[in-house]
Amino acid sequence: MRRNLTLILWLAAVALMLVYVLLQLPQRHWNSSITAAMPGTTTPWQNQLMQQNSSSRHLSLLLTGQPLPQLRQAATLLQQQTLPGLSWYQPGVLMQQLQQQYQQHQALLASPAALAQLQSGQYQQLVDAAWQRLLSPAPLLAEALQHDPLLLTQQFIEQQTPVSSMQPRQSWFESTEPAAILLHASLSIDPFDRTDAGKLAAALEHQLQQLQQNAPELQLARSGVLFHAVNAADNASFEMQFYGGLSLMAILLLLGVSFYSIKPLLLASVVLGCATLSGLTALLIWVPQPHVLALVFATTLIGIAIDYSFHGMLAANKGQRYFNAMLPSLALGLLTTLLGYLTLTLLPFALLNQVAIFMCAGLTAAFISVWLLFPYWLAPQSLHNNASLLHCCEKISGRYNNTSALKVWSGALLLAVLVCLLLLNQARFVDDVRLFNQSPAGLLAQEQQVRSMGSQQWDSRFIVVLADNAEQVLQQEQQLLPLLKHWQQQGWLKSWQALSQQLPPVQLQDHLQQQLQLAYQSETVQQYLSQLQLAVPAPRAERLQPDNFNSVLLQQLFSLQQHSASVILLSGVNIPDNERVQLNSMAQIHWLDPIADTNQVLVQLRSQLGHWLLLALAVTLVILLWRRGIKAACAITLMLLIAVGGALLLSQLLQQQLNIFNLVAALLVLALALDYGVFFTARLSSADVYQAVLLSAVTSCLAFGLLSFSQTPAVASFGFTVFCGVALAALLAPLLTVVSVKESDKHGTL
Amino acid sequence: MNRFIVLLLLLVLLPPVAVADQSASLLRFAPLQGQLDFVQLKTVQGLPVPLRSSGYLQISADKLLWHTTAPVDTKLLISPAGVSQWQQQQYVAVAGSEFIGQLLLAVLQQQQDFILAHFQLATGPNNCLLLQPVQPPLNQLFSQIELCGQQTLEQLTLTELNGNHTDISLQPQAGKP
């Protein structure tokens, strides 16, 4: 009666989860950023800054392959078709806006060289420069002479470095030799949002294809995070469906071959369905924006959850008593796997946290389903094992049992030592986050082509200036200028882009006004003014500030909770470490290198994971000593050492390096291999265990082995290591029956 | 019937060709080469009297040296890449001056393609040629450019949108082509 109630409650819970998932899935947005999945920086202001940073919300398109008039037509057509979430930059309009703002604030901005001349009283040079500009046929700003007779603001504008080597036009940048048009756009959507980014990229791609259909000789090169993110998300989605589907088909085929019946297929489908539903529910409850890569990793749930079905089916088929005897081993297996995954939730690693949540919920649900459903839905002796498979298992079992215990012990010991020594000698960890995700070569080539045609190549490293308010930030930027110039002169820095280059701090504008009033009183400037019959301009009261200034460079200014911050973008960075140290002596100025920081966190995480792996081995040994006795515990530990060490060694040989995902996989191998060890040292029928473990190993190898073909290096690393580990464990585990003492009745339950 | 279609096609196709030809025919000045004297009168808002300057131009195929000798000695190097000012023994590029450089070279050398692509052409008083810019950024800077002369360009007036205007008189140097 109580069991019936539990079953009904479980089925009700599954139904609730189904409703929840159906309601939530259409509303949820999936993340595809590899950096969002990686461990982040820990400083609160850095996290705030990275969240507000919109540098990924830009894209560029390069049009080539046709004469300029045709390229202009194509660009115009493209810009005429509006796409929600995308707006094209109008460089000409932006420049005109900037010029108008400067025009209204003449005599408040001057180049650093002109300001230095003012400060040192070199008025004749300023007058000479003004004459030169005045006599040039080039147009002047309106009302230049009334407000700024020395034309300092006019010259400040003309000394601004162009953003790109291509010439700005009204709606794009243009080059005549070779004929090319470069279009820039900003995105109002998050390029890492699977849904929004996918829609926008598809609509844009449709427009681009239409353009190319009309003009086949037109060549298009794309640049921007959107293209890479959508590609990665599509790839992950395809892999999740393809590998997940393939695993599922192979498993169902195996079940069909093993039992010649539809019933096991239905039971396994119910278990897998409940497991997936629970995993998804937990993920959606705990994570607001889950990562698509987490789902790729999560396809491995199929490989593990089906193991529980195999053990459950074979045991239930033998009767309630046998099923009850099997349950403790299954529970022990679940416990060890859960422990393995739960450790991942403690890591500051978003992707692994999400995988762990999904797997823990999924595996628990799989266990509960097997425990509650199988004894009811599978009457004893209702399944007929495939005779040849059973015969094969018995034959293998016999072969293994014929091996002498001494040989097994000595061989295993030797192999474990050899594997450990080789691994210690060969293992080379590379902690570079950039290796975990790889865009297609074609897209990378397009990116390079766009950049080579003059699109700015800002480095991933940048400088952050922190202060109490925007004015102080701009002042701090000014103080940094001499150092940046020094680095540029030394060839350690090609260029930089800071807001204060376009918008000087009010303090500097005040200073310029004071210096100008002094200059206007000097004999040299007085003479110049009288030659032009001009009166001395009155000091300007208004100032140019972030509130009344409009420029794309304002995107580099951030308002954080307790600070204002600005980002100084850098290009061509090759600054020696001993030079960069100078930044540390400047208060509130920070050098940020998100990739290096993430890599540093990865190093720490890897070391942490390594310790956990050893700790997990030690804990396993203690539990096994308690549950299985000294012989079995030592034998299982040796098997685990060989499986985990061998998997890492083979991964090292294949990849020529190891990464954190190999280590995460090693933790999973430990949990899976332990399951095999537990079953082979349990007091269960040898042939049944062989059959269950054989089927489990084949399905796990399929699920993880397929992942090693993933286009995402992180997923492939993980899949290959687990595949090797599971295969090795499945090969070695049957030997445990030879060397271990079987579980006694007394210790037969958990 | 066929003749009618051909005639219709001709009627449809001929006008634009004719307009283009008509505009091109207005460009009657011979391209300027070599050295020329100039006198520039620049009328700037806020200045009670126009600024008078003089000097010479050295025109070659792809660049132009604009050497002002009075009232002060200054040099500009003008090319399709833009205008560069002679400062402290070197030419320093003026950012955003590409179009001015291209415009001056195109007008002095009578570059038909550039002029027809960027201006609407008309004949003004004294048989002068009026160029009205039709696209940014030239139409954001100039309202009109007037070219006057008989066989060669002798007078050039740049009228800016902000009310400033620059009159440039050109004269071949004595004894030089």
Side-chain angles (χ1 to χ4, degrees), chain B residues 65-127:
Chain B
L65 174 70
W66 186 289
H67 194 163
T68 305
T69 49
V72 290
D73 195 293
T74 65
K75 277 193 280 191
L76 297 175
L77 189 65
I78 297 168
S79 73
V83 178
S84 302
Q85 294 179 344
W86 181 252
Q87 285 175 353
Q88 294 163 348
Q89 305 305 310
Q90 61 176 345
Y91 282 107
V92 179
V94 173
S97 62
E98 298 84 6
F99 254 101
I100 302 300
Q102 287 165 16
L103 165 76
L104 286 170
L105 273 179
V107 167
L108 295 172
Q109 295 178 339
Q110 290 292 292
Q111 292 170 8
Q112 196 169 312
D113 291 346
F114 185 92
I115 293 172
L116 292 177
H118 292 88
F119 296 96
Q120 196 175 4
L121 274 58
T123 307
N126 303 322
N127 203 25

Side-chain angles (χ1 to χ4, degrees), chain A residues 48-57 462 555 558 567:
Chain A
Q48 282 179 39
L49 188 76
M50 297 310 276
Q51 279 165 13
Q52 287 184 35
N53 190 7
S54 62
S55 61
S56 59
R57 297 190 176 198
F462 52 89
Q555 290 174 358
F558 301 90
V567 164

Side-chain angles (χ1 to χ4, degrees), chain A residues 702-718:
Chain A
L702 261 172
F704 292 103
L706 282 172
L707 283 191
S708 61
F709 294 102
S710 169
Q711 295 295 308
T712 312
V715 179
S717 297
F718 175 80

Side-chain angles (χ1 to χ4, degrees), chain A residues 423-441:
Chain A
L423 187 63
L424 286 172
N425 181 255
Q426 299 277 314
R428 192 176 66 88
F429 277 92
V430 175
D431 302 294
D432 190 344
V433 68
R434 288 168 293 192
L435 299 176
F436 295 158
N437 199 13
Q438 196 73 51
S439 288

Side-chain angles (χ1 to χ4, degrees), chain A residues 113-123 515:
Chain A
L115 190 61
Q117 285 172 345
L118 266 179
Q119 282 169 328
S120 58
Q122 294 171 285
Y123 300 133
Q515 290 295 322

